[in-house]
Amino acid sequence: MSRVMVGLSGGVDSAVAAYLLKKQGYDVAGATFRLMDEWDEARDAKAVADYLEIPHYVFDFREIFKKEVLDNFEEEYKKGRTPNPCVRCNKFIKFPAFFEKAQELGYDLISTGHYARTDGENIFRAKNLAKDQSYMMYNIEKELIPHLRFPLADLSKEEIRAIAAEAGIPVAQKPDSQDICFIPDGDTQGYLERKIGKMPCGKFVDENGKCLGEHKGICRYTIGQRKGLGLSLPAPLYVGKIDPQANEVVLVENEALLKKRLMVKDFHWINGAPEMPIPVTCKIRYAHNPAPALASTCIFDDKALILFEEPQRAVTPGQSAVIYSGDKLLGGGVIMG
């Protein structure tokens, strides 16, 4: 019997993943990750494990989470970028660190409640495209893919809740988390001010350097933002660039936010770089619809050049550009600009 360890977050998705795998005949265990000092996820996860009559483990990942996710999150905002902490967490914790711990306990497979598909060699977008999370997985090493199981790949959220309710799983009606796990109240600016202090005020300027007013610290802004600027302007302007050296936020007209090309660093090909140039579709943020593009032959020092067929709005440094061939995930990296 194959042994699989499921990352139990305490939510309904991971609970149903464990339930389905057990029904499929796997020898299932659950594991919950301790990522912060203040932490209560284990209570609901343990209740699920007890209900399903599977072993439950707790892995203390606080040190690596702080180093690779929290510290990076804060440093990126200081530099005027907008990071995606879930991408970092998947890269360092939810898959490689979890798999290492699972193997130590005799489990050669791991599973999560992510919405994605795998054929044992590749990762694909989930059938439920509205919930697809393959975007967050471009850093997974190919050697790990055969050890992954995603039992929610073809299910909708409504189907998952119905399965949980019919099975009597304790968290069947638990609301979904809508925020970054370490900022449960959604107040990113409040979190950053507590961690890095209040950043100095500076100037809003236009593209010619003309001062338009005072900003309240560069970590409060992201590319494409219009609301919350606190300015009275004769025409709509949007955040087009954040300059941490000058401590300035450059405001532009909407047309200036449109770009057909972007550079990506730390690029990772899941199954090696194909012969290029190659036509792909590319997502520049989690909620972005994949847009037709060309992955250029200009690949060097883990960087890539992505050329879009049509201009894309608000390309944001710090976010990830992730490329696909159809539904197949090819790889991705961090947007430079």
Side-chain angles (χ1 to χ4, degrees), residues 163-185:
I163 291 169
E166 184 177 350
I169 294 174
V171 295
Q173 301 305 321
K174 184 176 179 179
D176 291 341
S177 174
Q178 301 296 326
D179 300 302
I180 297 171
C181 70
F182 55 90
I183 313 179
D185 63 0

Side-chain angles (χ1 to χ4, degrees), residues 122-165:
N122 301 284
I123 295 173
F124 301 85
R125 300 175 75 196
K127 179 180 178 181
N128 180 5
L129 294 179
K131 297 290 287 184
D132 171 62
Q133 293 171 303
S134 63
Y135 172 88
M136 310 290 189
M137 299 179 181
Y138 70 83
N139 277 311
I140 290 178
E141 298 294 338
K142 66 178 181 180
E143 294 80 9
L144 184 53
I145 295 175
H147 302 274
L148 302 178
R149 297 294 182 269
F150 296 125
L152 308 187
D154 297 327
L155 298 174
S156 69
K157 191 69 179 198
E158 293 73 22
E159 290 171 320
I160 288 167
R161 288 206 179 274
I163 291 169

Side-chain angles (χ1 to χ4, degrees), residues 282-296:
C282 179
K283 295 183 69 166
I284 59 172
R285 62 181 65 85
Y286 174 62
H288 181 241
N289 288 324
L294 189 72
S296 163

Side-chain angles (χ1 to χ4, degrees), residues 243-256:
D243 185 343
Q245 282 72 41
N247 192 25
E248 292 180 341
V249 176
V250 182
L251 302 183
V252 301
E253 295 181 351
N254 187 62
E255 290 72 17

Side-chain angles (χ1 to χ4, degrees), residues 75-263:
E75 286 302 312
E76 286 290 277
Y77 268 103
K78 284 190 215 179
K79 295 173 182 176
R81 297 194 282 262
T82 305
N84 188 317
C86 296
V87 168
R88 298 275 300 184
C89 189
N90 283 348
K91 178 179 180 179
F92 292 102
I93 298 169
K94 285 189 178 178
F95 294 103
F98 177 28
F99 182 55
E100 182 178 346
K101 289 287 189 181
Q103 282 193 307
E104 290 173 2
L105 292 166
Y107 293 83
D108 196 45
L109 302 173
I110 60 172
S111 177
T112 65
H114 283 91
Y115 293 80
R117 291 185 289 126
T118 177
D119 63 359
E121 296 181 359
N122 301 284
I123 295 173
F124 301 85
R125 300 175 75 196
K127 179 180 178 181
N128 180 5
L129 294 179
K131 297 290 287 184
D132 171 62
Q133 293 171 303
S134 63
Y135 172 88
M136 310 290 189
M137 299 179 181
Y138 70 83
N139 277 311
I140 290 178
E141 298 294 338
K142 66 178 181 180
E143 294 80 9
L144 184 53
I145 295 175
H147 302 274
L148 302 178
R149 297 294 182 269
F150 296 125
L152 308 187
D154 297 327
L155 298 174
S156 69
K157 191 69 179 198
E158 293 73 22
E159 290 171 320
I160 288 167
R161 288 206 179 274
I163 291 169
E166 184 177 350
I169 294 174
V171 295
Q173 301 305 321
K174 184 176 179 179
D176 291 341
S177 174
Q178 301 296 326
D179 300 302
I180 297 171
C181 70
F182 55 90
I183 313 179
D185 63 0
D187 183 9
T188 300
Q189 302 312 320
Y191 172 87
L192 290 170
E193 287 192 5
R194 291 192 298 272
K195 295 296 182 179
I196 64 179
K198 192 170 184 178
M199 297 192 73
C201 298
K203 294 179 181 178
F204 283 118
V205 298
D206 65 16
E207 293 182 275
N208 297 315
K210 178 183 176 182
C211 181
L212 301 174
E214 183 179 83
H215 70 67
K216 297 180 180 179
I218 60 171
C219 70
R220 291 180 172 271
Y221 309 98
T222 190
I223 303 302
Q225 179 178 340
R226 177 187 173 190
K227 294 182 179 179
L229 301 181
L231 298 175
S232 178
L233 300 168
L237 293 179
Y238 305 80
V239 174
K241 180 182 177 181
I242 298 171
D243 185 343
Q245 282 72 41
N247 192 25
E248 292 180 341
V249 176
V250 182
L251 302 183
V252 301
E253 295 181 351
N254 187 62
E255 290 72 17
L257 293 173
L258 301 174
K259 292 186 177 182
K260 289 191 72 171
R261 57 186 287 161
L262 60 85
M263 284 294 296

